[in-house]
Amino acid sequence: MSARSGSAPFGFTLQATEGAARAASFATPHGVVQSPAFMAVGTLATVKSLDPGDLREMGAQMILANAYHLHLRPGDDLVRQMGGLHEFMQWDGPILTDSGGFQVFSLEGLRAIDEDGVDFRSHIDGSSRRFTPESVMRIERNLGADVIMQFDHVIPGQSDAAAARDASERSLRWLARCAAEFDVLERDDPIPGRSAQALFPIVQGGIHTDLRAEAARAIRDMGDWKGYGIGGLSVGEPKPEMYRILEAVHHELPTDRPRYLMGVGFPEDLVEGVRRGVDLFDCVAPTRMGRNGTVFTSDGRLNIKRAEFRADARPLDEACDCAACRRFSRAYIRHLYLADEILGLRLLSLHNVHFLVSLMRQARTALLGGTFDGWSESWLRRYHSRTTPAPV
């Protein structure tokens, strides 16, 4: 099966549209993802502090793991030996693996780039490593996710046009190599019992609309991909710039394939992204912010450390039906957090991930009901109207 084929077992069916926003079904070997959807990030084959049962209970459909981190620890060869990610982590739903491009290019001072690939030092033990498009395809094949991402060249969000063009054009050349290696592995490296994989390309180009359009057209001309990633956003550029780029990319990508906005996961950005034609999102923000005491709510963010919540009997969010909000008060969770109890971090992470999963479910319901424009405008107006208190 070619990397650029649109055939089964992957498929994308549009069910409703409103402007650029879409409700759809994305079929994978491990289940159908009803979009728009937020993918919880399980970087090291675990969503921090949550187990697969938690994720199933909250309605999470697809999760993400990271090729860079799993290559370093425990090793992609070991994951393959243990039956691939699904078996290893006991998650039977769809999985996507990021190629590790963002992580490698974030190692400022620890990596060197050439046309063939990237030399870098492990952030764990300082050992010398090298990633090429071909080696990353082998890593992601070993991991066995349903959707795998190409190895791309990631740059800071406000890079100038020359730097953005260089990285985007290199990403296109690396995409061709990823696709060729993907096809070779499909033919020559069969894994008994392993499901098919889909390779997604990544549209780069920084904050420059002409470069984004060029990249999207070039990728589209390379073949009939099963889906498209939009990378290099939420990496330092102002939010209006991100929204502008999404609008430009929307007009250049096929409407009959899923679009995945990489690394974006704040509530307002999810809603704005759906408004601009995005189907899938991921971000470490819900668990990372939970570990720092920050809570997503329909009234904006709150900081659980604040003294005003010391005797607050309300749940984290009165509109939320997650396990944390159904059972525990703000006062109790604040106590756990300040006492450095692990349960506090777990409950905050659980709530934040549930909040984003539920938010995308609400967006989908509004799209199917033909009320998305009004719902999204009302939701954003309410969310932005609440002033978030500063931490104490």
Side-chain angles (χ1 to χ4, degrees), residues 20-21 239 242-243 246-247 261 264 266-278 281 359-360 372 375-377 379-381 384:
K239 287 184 186 292
M242 175 171 69
Y243 303 153
L246 290 177
E247 290 168 4
L261 178 56
V264 172
F266 290 103
E268 65 273 27
D269 295 337
L270 266 62
V271 175
E272 295 284 10
V274 173
R275 283 158 61 104
R276 291 162 174 82
V278 176
F281 304 84
L359 179 62
M360 290 297 89
F372 177 77
W375 173 85
S376 60
E377 290 174 7
W379 190 93
L380 288 166
R381 189 182 310 114
H384 288 305

Side-chain angles (χ1 to χ4, degrees), residues 209-274:
T209 54
D210 57 336
L211 297 181
R212 291 282 181 170
E214 287 178 26
R217 288 194 292 267
I219 290 170
R220 191 180 63 214
D221 291 344
M222 291 172 70
D224 186 17
W225 306 94
K226 299 180 182 72
Y228 294 80
I230 304 169
L233 293 172
S234 194
V235 287
E237 80 284 353
K239 287 184 186 292
E241 294 289 284
M242 175 171 69
Y243 303 153
R244 177 176 60 81
I245 292 300
L246 290 177
E247 290 168 4
V249 170
H250 166 69
H251 296 292
E252 300 293 343
L253 293 179
T255 59
D256 61 348
R257 295 290 185 271
R259 292 113 174 241
Y260 159 40
L261 178 56
M262 305 177 69
V264 172
F266 290 103
E268 65 273 27
D269 295 337
L270 266 62
V271 175
E272 295 284 10
V274 173

Side-chain angles (χ1 to χ4, degrees), residues 72-372:
L72 295 181
R73 182 173 53 191
D76 55 284
D77 289 334
L78 175 65
V79 175
R80 174 172 175 154
Q81 177 185 333
M82 299 301 295
L85 277 175
H86 292 91
E87 180 67 22
F88 190 51
M89 66 185 295
Q90 289 297 293
W91 170 257
D92 59 4
I95 299 176
L96 179 149
T97 46
D98 192 359
S99 68
F102 175 81
Q103 286 72 29
V104 169
F105 286 99
S106 297
L107 297 171
E108 192 68 37
L110 295 175
R111 46 93 172 143
I113 309 162
D114 57 49
E115 181 59 27
D116 182 61
V118 183
D119 289 307
F120 64 96
R121 290 192 176 275
S122 164
H123 72 283
I124 298 171
D125 59 11
S127 59
S128 296
R129 309 285 179 128
R130 182 167 179 79
F131 272 7
T132 67
E134 292 80 10
S135 71
V136 169
M137 290 297 95
R138 292 191 290 272
I139 291 168
E140 294 195 84
R141 180 161 184 80
N142 285 343
L143 296 174
D146 300 87
V147 175
I148 67 176
M149 305 305 296
Q150 75 155 107
F151 187 49
D152 59 335
H153 186 167
V154 183
I155 57 174
Q158 299 189 61
S159 298
D160 62 31
R165 177 174 292 280
D166 177 67
S168 179
E169 292 180 350
R170 178 172 291 112
S171 294
L172 291 171
R173 294 191 295 273
W174 284 358
L175 172 60
R177 290 167 57 189
C178 284
E181 183 68 12
F182 180 96
D183 290 343
V184 168
L185 292 170
E186 287 274 284
R187 184 187 68 234
D188 297 343
D189 184 30
I191 303 176
R194 182 70 64 83
S195 301
Q197 294 180 298
L199 171 64
F200 278 20
I202 301 173
V203 178
Q204 291 286 358
I207 56 173
H208 309 281
T209 54
D210 57 336
L211 297 181
R212 291 282 181 170
E214 287 178 26
R217 288 194 292 267
I219 290 170
R220 191 180 63 214
D221 291 344
M222 291 172 70
D224 186 17
W225 306 94
K226 299 180 182 72
Y228 294 80
I230 304 169
L233 293 172
S234 194
V235 287
E237 80 284 353
K239 287 184 186 292
E241 294 289 284
M242 175 171 69
Y243 303 153
R244 177 176 60 81
I245 292 300
L246 290 177
E247 290 168 4
V249 170
H250 166 69
H251 296 292
E252 300 293 343
L253 293 179
T255 59
D256 61 348
R257 295 290 185 271
R259 292 113 174 241
Y260 159 40
L261 178 56
M262 305 177 69
V264 172
F266 290 103
E268 65 273 27
D269 295 337
L270 266 62
V271 175
E272 295 284 10
V274 173
R275 283 158 61 104
R276 291 162 174 82
V278 176
D279 306 294
L280 302 171
F281 304 84
D282 84 282
C283 193
V284 299
T287 51
R288 177 176 292 169
M289 296 183 73
R291 296 194 304 275
N292 290 322
T294 301
V295 183
F296 293 147
T297 82
S298 50
D299 290 324
R301 299 182 204 170
L302 65 82
N303 192 308
I304 201 63
K305 293 176 283 189
R306 289 183 62 86
E308 66 189 89
F309 303 128
R310 181 176 179 274
D312 193 332
R314 293 176 295 170
L316 294 173
D317 183 353
E318 291 178 302
C320 179
D321 65 351
C322 77
C325 289
R326 291 199 311 267
R327 301 172 64 194
F328 303 110
S329 67
R330 294 179 178 182
Y332 179 62
I333 296 175
R334 177 181 183 273
H335 155 67
L336 294 175
Y337 185 86
L338 294 179
D340 202 24
E341 285 288 343
I342 294 173
L343 179 58
L345 305 181
R346 171 174 154 73
L347 293 174
L348 290 167
S349 295
L350 186 152
H351 166 79
N352 281 348
V353 174
H354 180 281
F355 184 88
L356 297 183
V357 169
S358 175
L359 179 62
M360 290 297 89
R361 194 158 52 234
Q362 294 171 47
R364 176 179 169 81
T365 298
L367 278 161
L368 293 174
T371 60
F372 177 77

